[in-house]
Amino acid sequence: MPSLTRRNLLVSGLALSASSLAARSAWGRATALLGAYPEVKSAEALAALAPREQYLMDFDWKFTFGNANDPAKDLNFGMGQGDFAKTGNFKFAKSGFDDSKWRSLNLPHDWAVELPFVWDEEQKSHGYKPLGRRYPETSVGWYRKEFEIPASDQGKRVWIEFDGAFRDVLVFVNGCFVGRNNNGYAPFRFDLTDFLAVGAKNYIALRVDASFGDGWFYEGAGVYRHIWLTKYDSLHLGKWESYVRCDLKDGAATLSLATVVENQGKTGESARVTWKILDSAGKTVATAESEAQSIDADSSAHFKATARLENPSLWSVDEPTLYSAVVTVESQGKARDAERVSFGVRTAHFDANKGFFLNGKPLKIQGTCNHQDHAGVGAAVPDALQWFRAGVLKEMGSNAVRTSHNMPTPEWVEACDRMGLMMMCETRQMSSSPEGLAQLETMVKRYRNSPSIIIWSIGNEEWALQEPMAEQGEKIAATMVEKCHELDPTRVVSAAVNGDNLQGVSNALDIIGFNYNLKYPDDFHKTHPTRALFGSETASALSTRGVYTTDPLRNTVSAYDVNQPGWGELAEEWWTFYGTREWEAGGFAWTGFDYRGEPTPYGWPSISSQFGIVDTCGFPKDSFFYYKAWWGKEPVLHLFPHWNFAGEEGQEIPVWVHSNLDEVELLVNGKSMGSKKVPHLGHVEWKVRYAPGAIEARGSKGGKVVQTVKRETTGEAVTLRLTSDRMEINADGQDVAVLKVEALDQQGRPVPTANHLIEFKVTGEGALIGVGNGDPNCHESDKGSKRSLFNGLAQVIVQANKTAGSIQIEASGGDSLASANLSVTTRSTTPRPSVL
């Protein structure tokens, strides 16, 4: 088949499953929010223009642990001091090396999630995993792969490109040391051209050392993002140098187009660049071209042009319309390289007195902060699971995310672009050192065409740079802000500041972000009336899904909105503050999803946080429906708790309702407890003495009952139920289905207190890659075939192989529960081209 550019691979792979994407978000929640996808033929047409080829390099790797202390257990690497003395002598990256006892696996891969938990308080914030210099046996991993470079690649420039790996990576090819990268989030790449054997087998080895971390949260370990092998003509477009800037005025958009062309050939060449602008249906709506320039050998040149779009469709959170620019470099009438860049036409403006405006219309930022791990897979999140997670947040009514606290994976940004989630995009290292600026530059260049991004963030809670080192902090931040403006003058730059924002870093920022501290913004707004404000990190409300009594002996927190750790705010508190001040742009709640590490408010045996509005699987907690009521557009009537409190008869139970209706009446076993008006941005509640039976809420609007919901006392669990977010996935070796596991009583009602141990069996054209249940205290393996239900729920993630057919999943709970079976179809598809 024609080779495709990477960008088109991303688009075309999704286009093939566009019909199923309508049901991709959690458990059938609507993702008809997705933008339109160009057809596959558009990608193939682009590939025919130029010789660039890009291949996924994720399949058929071998893996083994090394050792950070003992070279004899680390492939003898570092046995002496002469390892790097001569080029080409690293035997583990050459033919004849015996890796037959190594484990076979595909990428992305996070070995940290596979490790047992250890009670070591030094590892608390990282999720109690045995990583670091005190755990040499499990902190180094080796990856090895054999691959072919065909004779037809003679004369091409061949690069290996990593989307990210954690953390310190040494790359060896055909016995030669090629390069090193030592941060866990920024992408990196190396030119392999001189090291490859053309028309022959080649060998690559990666030594990945996770002894050091970048953050204070769970970060994973290993090659947890994609690897690509890209083959370029000697005359080609620079990496992430193409951009499209939109100036929207009087119903038309002027597009400023620019790129860089690099000449890695041995002679000078004359080149020009053309741009073709496509709408979301793949129709050409504008074109542009630059003047020709001469480019010396081993040099580069900048090319610019403009184009105009009449009456463009705007990108918004409700209609995330995307355009594409096909950028082609030509020489002597021949296309030498091409790429496709997605962009959106929109305006984003922060006003000190009126808040945030998208496309000239006021819009509150209804955001969440999120780390990048998920139940069952850790940091190695499959692409489809990124969409799943975005769907969960969209269903809640959220319109924005913050990438706490690092450069995000490309697939997360892609999902936000196409699903209509705005983004505060954050770099990991707040520093104006060469390394810090390089990471920042890579992030801005990589994502500056993404319409979802409305804020660049240069850091988080750098206390030293705020006060004791305020002078240095202001200079560091000013240099970083200047770099952002140089690379992208269209967006504001901020940081997440936990303090009063009166000095240090804050002085250099375009807009001011407050972490918590509701005592500060009002006074700051009065004394700094020209500076726009928003909540860069808020809430930190605590809850355990399905638990309604705080119990320190069990390390659980009640799911009512009554718990916060002292520095934070309850959901109602922070949103009432930000949602009622016109000058506040909105904010980002900590956090959307629970995440591994930083177990709060407890320590061991808790291994994950309890800040999330949903748990680590994406199962909603009750506060999810508070946000859905006040952030969403549909009527909401959520009644809780469940009504299974055996042994607590006669005891007083708080009954809450989250709703955006006018009034709610509560009935207990058919008897009315009275009606209450729903306060704006609040909830209603009653105190009820427990008796088995049912509670019922009746919500009224305009004096009429428009919605009812009931919670009944269920019987014992007798059977299991499996449901999938999608019943059909791609047979491409990467796509996943996310399954929900429930226990039901004799009447088919979910039992909200069920905690049975469930065993899973997966057969057919796929495999089980992860299990979870959202329990912050569960130490069961994420990679095992068993998982306990936690308050009635568990999750199974299965991944297709490359053979069309079906995946059969069986869940069994022993003699007391009838088993459940589900079949997920894996359909034939055109997979991303891969390295063989």
Side-chain angles (χ1 to χ4, degrees):
M1 64 171 289
S3 59
L4 307 180
T5 67
R6 182 193 171 185
R7 184 63 178 178
N8 281 281
L9 297 177
L10 291 173
V11 173
S12 66
L14 293 167
L16 291 168
S17 58
S19 61
S20 65
L21 282 171
R24 172 162 281 183
S25 64
W27 311 298
R29 294 171 187 154
T31 9
L33 315 154
L34 291 168
Y37 289 85
E39 297 179 1
V40 181
K41 64 182 182 182
S42 299
E44 293 177 343
L46 173 60
L49 290 177
R52 182 193 296 194
E53 302 172 43
Q54 187 149 35
Y55 297 89
L56 189 66
M57 207 173 180
D58 284 359
F59 297 107
D60 303 322
W61 287 80
K62 293 293 194 75
F63 173 81
T64 192
F65 279 112
N67 192 290
N69 283 352
D70 186 351
K73 298 177 181 178
D74 199 35
L75 308 190
N76 291 321
F77 183 65
M79 186 64 76
Q81 289 184 288
D83 293 61
F84 295 91
K86 299 291 183 180
T87 296
N89 286 343
F90 290 104
K91 295 180 180 180
F92 45 71
K94 301 179 76 170
S95 65
F97 181 83
D98 184 9
D99 61 7
S100 60
K101 294 182 180 180
W102 293 26
R103 170 186 166 196
S104 297
L105 55 74
N106 296 328
L107 306 178
H109 173 237
D110 173 7
W111 81 69
V113 74
E114 303 169 357
L115 298 176
F117 298 100
V118 293
W119 190 357
D120 178 349
E121 291 304 307
E122 291 297 325
Q123 296 303 108
K124 177 180 178 180
S125 68
H126 280 77
Y128 291 110
K129 290 293 187 176
L131 292 170
R133 296 189 69 187
R134 292 177 299 111
Y135 297 96
E137 300 89 351
T138 50
S139 295
V140 172
W142 286 88
Y143 297 83
R144 190 172 188 275
K145 181 178 174 62
E146 175 187 299
F147 62 102
E148 292 201 24
I149 295 294
S152 58
D153 284 346
Q154 190 70 47
K156 296 178 181 178
R157 306 303 303 187
V158 182
W159 289 73
I160 188 168
E161 300 178 336
F162 296 77
D163 283 344
F166 201 87
R167 177 186 181 267
D168 190 341
V169 184
L170 301 178
V171 180
F172 305 87
V173 173
N174 293 333
C176 302
F177 172 66
V178 173
R180 178 179 186 175
N181 183 76
N182 62 350
N183 78 80
Y185 300 101
F188 56 100
R189 61 199 293 255
F190 300 106
D191 189 343
L192 301 185
T193 307
D194 294 347
F195 304 98
L196 294 173
V198 178
K201 292 185 180 299
N202 292 261
Y203 303 88
I204 182 171
L206 312 174
R207 184 183 187 271
V208 183
D209 189 343
S211 296
F212 288 93
D214 281 294
W216 54 95
F217 38 86
Y218 178 88
E219 299 184 278
V223 186
Y224 72 96
R225 294 180 181 174
H226 295 307
I227 300 179
W228 307 86
L229 196 70
T230 308
K231 304 172 183 180
Y232 298 89
D233 186 273
S234 59
L235 187 72
H236 56 261
L237 298 165
K239 188 69 172 178
W240 300 317
E241 294 289 358
S242 297
Y243 66 77
V244 180
R245 294 176 184 157
C246 306
D247 182 14
L248 191 62
K249 187 176 181 180
D250 297 330
T254 300
L255 308 181
S256 297
L257 310 168
T259 194
V260 173
V261 177
E262 298 176 352
N263 181 9
Q264 288 188 283
K266 297 180 180 180
T267 61
E269 299 212 40
S270 177
R272 70 166 191 152
V273 176
T274 65
W275 287 264
K276 182 185 293 185
I277 309 301
L278 309 177
D279 65 14
S280 58
K283 178 184 176 183
T284 300
V285 291
T287 59
E289 63 180 60
S290 70
E291 294 185 359
Q293 296 186 55
S294 294
I295 310 176
D296 293 336
D298 197 25
S299 186
S300 63
H302 292 258
F303 290 79
K304 294 183 178 181
T306 59
R308 183 176 174 87
L309 287 179
E310 299 292 343
N311 300 312
S313 298
L314 303 185
W315 186 95
S316 70
V317 297
D318 295 321
E319 295 184 24
T321 302
L322 292 179
Y323 288 86
S324 296
V326 177
V327 189
T328 305
V329 55
E330 299 177 353
S331 181
Q332 297 181 349
K334 180 182 177 182
R336 303 285 293 276
D337 191 21
E339 65 183 1
R340 186 183 193 132
V341 176
S342 292
F343 67 96
V345 180
R346 58 108 179 102
T347 61
H349 174 66
F350 288 83
D351 185 276
N353 296 307
K354 299 293 185 179
F356 175 69
F357 290 78
L358 184 67
N359 298 325
K361 300 177 181 178
L363 180 68
K364 283 289 186 186
I365 296 172
Q366 299 169 169
T368 63
C369 306
N370 292 279
H371 285 307
Q372 61 178 8
D373 61 291
H374 191 90
V377 296
V381 179
D383 297 355
L385 195 54
Q386 304 284 4
W387 293 77
F388 175 91
R389 288 166 63 85
V392 170
L393 299 176
K394 284 290 287 190
E395 175 65 16
M396 185 176 72
S398 179
N399 62 19
V401 294
R402 174 181 168 216
T403 66
S404 309
H405 303 286
N406 50 263
M407 180 177 175
T409 188
E411 291 73 30
W412 180 240
V413 180
E414 181 87 10
C416 292
D417 282 346
R418 294 191 176 276
M419 294 184 72
L421 279 168
M422 300 181 293
M423 180 177 289
M424 177 178 176
C425 193
E426 190 160 285
T427 191
R428 172 75 290 277
Q429 187 178 115
M430 188 170 192
S431 176
S432 56
S433 68
E435 174 64 21
L437 290 178
Q439 291 184 27
L440 181 66
E441 179 171 344
T442 297
M443 182 182 79
V444 174
K445 282 187 172 182
R446 175 66 182 84
Y447 295 130
R448 59 187 167 183
N449 293 306
S450 295
S452 60
I453 296 173
I454 57 171
I455 303 170
W456 298 120
S457 173
I458 59 173
N460 174 74
E461 294 185 345
E462 297 284 349
W463 288 288
L465 301 183
Q466 278 300 110
E467 199 159 337
M469 298 176 62
E471 180 182 354
Q472 296 96 318
E474 182 174 351
K475 290 187 290 186
I476 289 169
T479 299
M480 296 181 77
V481 170
E482 182 181 3
K483 174 60 71 173
C484 289
H485 289 168
E486 172 194 331
L487 298 170
D488 176 25
T490 71
R491 290 177 177 86
V492 295
V493 184
S494 190
V497 175
N498 195 332
D500 58 17
N501 272 297
L502 294 178
Q503 65 280 313
V505 168
S506 305
N507 289 342
L509 303 176
D510 295 330
I511 61 173
I512 296 297
F514 278 97
N515 284 16
Y516 313 108
N517 292 299
L518 297 185
K519 60 187 177 183
Y520 291 137
D522 283 338
D523 287 342
F524 190 95
H525 178 60
K526 292 177 182 177
T527 57
H528 300 78
T530 62
R531 306 199 73 179
L533 309 183
F534 73 108
S536 44
E537 185 174 316
T538 64
S540 280
L542 295 160
S543 62
T544 310
R545 178 182 56 76
V547 173
Y548 297 98
T549 303
T550 296
D551 187 347
L553 294 179
R554 290 183 171 85
N555 280 22
T556 57
V557 185
S558 77
Y560 302 106
D561 185 26
V562 296
N563 307 291
Q564 55 96 349
W567 67 79
E569 305 95 28
L570 305 178
E572 288 188 28
E573 288 178 333
W574 89 265
W575 187 244
T576 297
F577 184 92
Y578 282 93
T580 57
R581 285 162 171 76
E582 184 182 22
W583 45 269
E584 281 284 12
F588 296 86
W590 189 267
T591 53
F593 282 76
D594 275 343
Y595 56 95
R596 300 168 188 276
E598 287 195 307
T600 311
Y602 309 108
W604 185 268
S606 295
I607 42 82
S608 67
S609 81
Q610 302 195 49
F611 294 120
I613 302 167
V614 302
D615 67 19
T616 53
C617 296
F619 295 126
K621 303 180 186 180
D622 291 291
S623 289
F624 177 99
F625 298 95
Y626 169 78
Y627 291 103
K628 185 175 175 64
W630 299 112
W631 284 2
K633 299 178 180 178
E634 302 297 325
V636 172
L637 186 69
H638 176 68
L639 171 66
F640 64 104
H642 58 68
W643 211 236
N644 281 29
F645 293 99
E648 299 184 38
E649 287 78 7
Q651 295 186 30
E652 200 170 64
I653 304 290
V655 176
W656 284 34
V657 173
H658 288 313
S659 181
N660 51 14
L661 300 175
D662 297 340
E663 192 171 352
V664 178
E665 180 186 14
L666 178 69
L667 291 84
V668 179
N669 291 327
K671 181 180 179 181
S672 177
M673 297 290 104
S675 296
K676 294 188 177 184
K677 293 188 179 300
V678 179
H680 182 57
L681 304 184
H683 73 281
V684 291
E685 62 178 282
W686 293 259
K687 301 282 187 167
V688 175
R689 295 200 176 276
Y690 177 68
I695 55 176
E696 180 180 352
R698 296 176 178 175
S700 299
K701 192 170 185 65
K704 296 181 179 180
V705 175
V706 296
Q707 204 169 346
T708 62
V709 65
K710 184 181 287 189
R711 300 282 180 259
E712 297 177 326
T713 306
T714 70
E716 295 293 319
V718 298
T719 189
L720 294 171
R721 178 168 66 188
L722 292 172
T723 52
S724 178
D725 71 321
R726 294 182 296 151
M727 293 303 297
E728 187 177 60
I729 62 177
N730 288 330
D732 60 2
Q734 297 184 290
D735 207 358
V736 299
V738 184
L739 279 65
K740 179 169 68 170
V741 189
E742 300 171 278
L744 311 178
D745 72 0
Q746 193 68 45
Q747 298 182 45
R749 299 173 297 188
V751 180
T753 54
N755 290 309
H756 302 73
L757 180 64
I758 311 301
E759 184 170 1
F760 305 102
K761 182 179 180 181
V762 177
T763 58
E765 307 304 338
L768 185 154
I769 65 167
V771 294
N773 60 14
D775 181 354
N777 305 300
C778 183
H779 290 200
E780 296 167 2
S781 173
D782 286 75
K783 296 298 183 179
S785 60
K786 297 180 180 180
R787 191 70 165 192
S788 297
L789 297 173
F790 177 61
N791 292 330
L793 297 173
Q795 186 173 89
V796 178
I797 304 171
V798 295
Q799 187 168 55
N801 59 31
K802 294 182 179 180
T803 302
S806 63
I807 307 172
Q808 288 78 44
I809 305 98
E810 179 183 3
S812 56
D815 296 337
S816 63
L817 291 176
S819 61
N821 293 272
L822 189 70
S823 179
V824 174
T825 299
T826 63
R827 62 172 168 268
S828 180
T829 187
T830 303
R832 294 164 168 168
S834 299
V835 173
L836 300 177

